[in-house]
Amino acid sequence: MYSHRAVDKFLLAVSLINGIGSGFSWAILAPYLRGLGVSGALYGLLGGVSVIVSVFSTLSAGVLCDLYGSKVIAFTGLLLYSSSFLLFSTKYFPLIAVGYLVLGFSRGFTSTSINVLTSRSANDEILHYTFSYVRASSTLGGAIGSFLGWVPVIIAGVLDIDLVSSYGFSLLAIAPLSIMSALLALKVRESYRLESIGVKKVLMGFRGLGRFNYIVLVGMLIGFGAAMSIHNIGYYFTVKYGVTSGELGSIFGLQQLIMAFMMAKMPAIADKYGGPLKVYLVATYSSIPLLIAMTLTNNYVVASMFYLIRSILMNVANPLYTAFAMRLVPVDKRGVAGSLLSLSWNLPAGIGRAIGGALLDIDLEAPLRLTATLYIIGLTIIAITFKENIVESRKNTRS
């Protein structure tokens, strides 16, 4: 009943188009770099450095969103994102390394500004609908992009060129998609009145966020765990099973296609069964046994199915959690809060991805098992800290 006023159509379009580019790159980059001779340790290091760079842009993005609005910051981040793939397509390692630096900086701007823009585009009481619809749109785009992972394989066969070259050419297609989404970002409504409040007052927003700080702490634990294994999962599957971007794109695409449909349903489920936080915890806890199960099989079909279901459970309720977190702080501090939320994932992820990449060269299964342990710790902290929110949501659901 909220769909007609819960989300801006331009914000949906930005999320969809950007998702297509992200999904396509997610399917291609691991086998592309593997084909160029990049080791697991170097692959993890590249990703780790990229994430560390994003820390600086994440911090500045939050402050800039509160000072100048989030649309302009989103526009800038998306333009930078497009340039990184032009660098990747060269197959020249120094330029690829620079591309990872640009990618990290752009992601810090984009992830923070899109979250803040989403939180300011609708009323607080329906934010769990808004975040879910926006994330569903992005995830649907990711599914489309992931399925397109077969395109470089088909092109290589039709044109009789090597697969690595086909990957390089295909990466060029992401740049115009990102430019298109950047232009659309400027059209999104933002119900936030800019005031001359000064940088000092905005920076003071990093203080006095109360229990939101627990959200940041848990984000660091889960972000570190995810970076060690899930951020490197394409490389994991490539090494263990010898798959190409086609197989990877298929499983990533199917995952995101199912998630896109389910995310749109999650707000209504949360309203009916105990609130956003309770539904988030039930879904994410349920994903952990499947993470361990992935390490106990040597069959790609079985492992990919475990990964598929695990990823859906772990991520499908994330918009509910983000909406819950953003509602803990006032609108005028959400730029700062959004940067801290992104930072909580990105800061430890840089180290985690590098460590996880190095572990892949030693023991392929170790990163997944360590991740499961960190997930359990982080989710338990949330369940204990916000116990009364779960109870209150249950009361409101029954009344």
Side-chain angles (χ1 to χ4, degrees):
M1 62 179 176
Y2 293 118
S3 59
H4 67 286
R5 58 190 176 94
V7 63
D8 184 285
K9 63 182 179 180
F10 290 111
L11 186 54
L12 285 177
V14 170
S15 300
L16 177 69
I17 295 169
N18 195 44
I20 292 173
S22 297
F24 194 41
S25 67
W26 183 243
I28 290 176
L29 276 178
Y32 173 61
L33 293 177
R34 173 72 173 175
L36 290 176
V38 173
S39 67
L42 184 54
Y43 179 77
L45 180 62
L46 285 171
V49 170
S50 178
V51 172
I52 290 172
V53 169
S54 74
V55 168
F56 299 99
S57 59
T58 295
L59 281 169
S60 59
V63 173
L64 292 172
C65 282
D66 283 345
L67 285 173
Y68 305 112
S70 49
K71 289 196 293 187
V72 176
I73 310 307
F75 173 80
T76 305
L78 289 166
L79 284 185
L80 288 171
Y81 187 71
S82 68
S83 65
S84 65
F85 291 97
L86 297 177
L87 293 167
F88 289 149
S89 67
T90 64
K91 295 196 295 185
Y92 182 54
F93 183 77
L95 290 181
I96 290 174
V98 173
Y100 265 96
L101 296 178
V102 176
L103 180 67
F105 195 88
S106 69
R107 280 180 171 168
F109 262 42
T110 303
S111 63
T112 300
S113 60
I114 293 296
N115 267 343
V116 177
L117 186 55
T118 303
S119 75
R120 291 173 176 169
S121 65
N123 295 330
D124 275 10
E125 64 268 19
I126 57 171
L127 272 189
H128 57 306
Y129 281 84
T130 308
F131 272 99
S132 294
Y133 292 163
V134 169
R135 197 69 59 81
S137 180
S138 175
T139 304
L140 176 60
I144 295 169
S146 295
F147 284 130
L148 290 174
W150 281 107
V151 170
V153 179
I154 295 171
I155 290 175
V158 171
L159 299 182
D160 194 25
I161 60 175
D162 65 279
L163 189 53
V164 173
S165 294
S166 184
Y167 286 149
F169 295 142
S170 299
L171 287 170
L172 288 171
I174 299 175
L177 286 174
S178 188
I179 293 172
M180 186 186 307
S181 63
L183 294 172
L184 288 171
L186 294 175
K187 294 182 174 291
V188 179
R189 69 171 180 263
E190 183 174 11
S191 56
Y192 172 65
R193 186 163 59 90
L194 295 175
E195 299 177 356
S196 300
I197 56 179
V199 175
K200 183 176 180 180
K201 185 174 180 180
V202 170
L203 291 175
M204 290 296 290
F206 284 101
R207 301 171 58 185
L209 292 177
R211 292 193 303 164
F212 185 83
N213 292 321
Y214 287 98
I215 300 289
V216 175
L217 171 62
V218 171
M220 294 179 70
L221 286 173
I222 293 180
F224 182 79
M228 281 198 302
S229 58
I230 305 305
H231 290 195
N232 295 327
I233 202 68
Y235 195 93
Y236 169 86
F237 280 136
T238 300
V239 172
K240 188 172 182 178
Y241 300 107
V243 295
T244 69
S245 66
E247 291 87 354
L248 290 175
S250 293
I251 192 63
F252 295 156
L254 183 59
Q255 166 204 328
Q256 292 175 93
L257 189 62
I258 295 171
M259 279 176 53
F261 172 78
M262 292 182 65
M263 278 180 177
K265 303 292 183 182
M266 292 305 288
I269 292 173
D271 284 347
K272 186 175 182 180
Y273 295 105
L277 186 58
K278 180 183 178 182
V279 171
Y280 168 78
L281 288 172
V282 169
T284 48
Y285 268 125
S286 301
S287 74
I288 296 172
L290 294 170
L291 193 62
I292 297 296
M294 285 175 60
T295 69
L296 304 178
T297 181
N298 290 314
N299 183 289
Y300 174 68
V301 174
V302 174
S304 63
M305 286 302 102
F306 284 149
Y307 172 78
L308 173 69
I309 300 170
R310 179 226 76 90
S311 296
I312 292 171
L313 290 171
M314 187 67 195
N315 295 294
V316 72
N318 275 352
L320 301 180
Y321 181 66
T322 304
F324 169 78
M326 295 300 273
R327 288 181 65 179
L328 293 173
V329 296
V331 174
D332 62 343
K333 289 187 176 183
R334 286 182 184 170
V336 167
S339 70
L340 287 175
L341 192 60
S342 296
L343 189 64
S344 69
W345 287 78
N346 292 337
L347 182 58
I351 302 171
R353 191 162 181 174
I355 292 175
L359 285 175
L360 286 173
D361 289 336
I362 301 171
D363 180 351
L364 272 177
E365 315 300 347
L368 289 167
R369 292 166 181 165
L370 288 171
T371 295
T373 302
L374 291 173
Y375 281 1
I376 291 171
I377 295 171
L379 294 173
T380 301
I381 291 174
I382 288 295
I384 293 172
T385 303
F386 296 100
K387 181 180 178 181
E388 72 277 13
N389 295 87
I390 300 173
V391 173
E392 185 63 31
S393 293
R394 186 183 300 118
K395 289 179 180 178
N396 291 338
T397 301
R398 290 174 178 174
S399 61

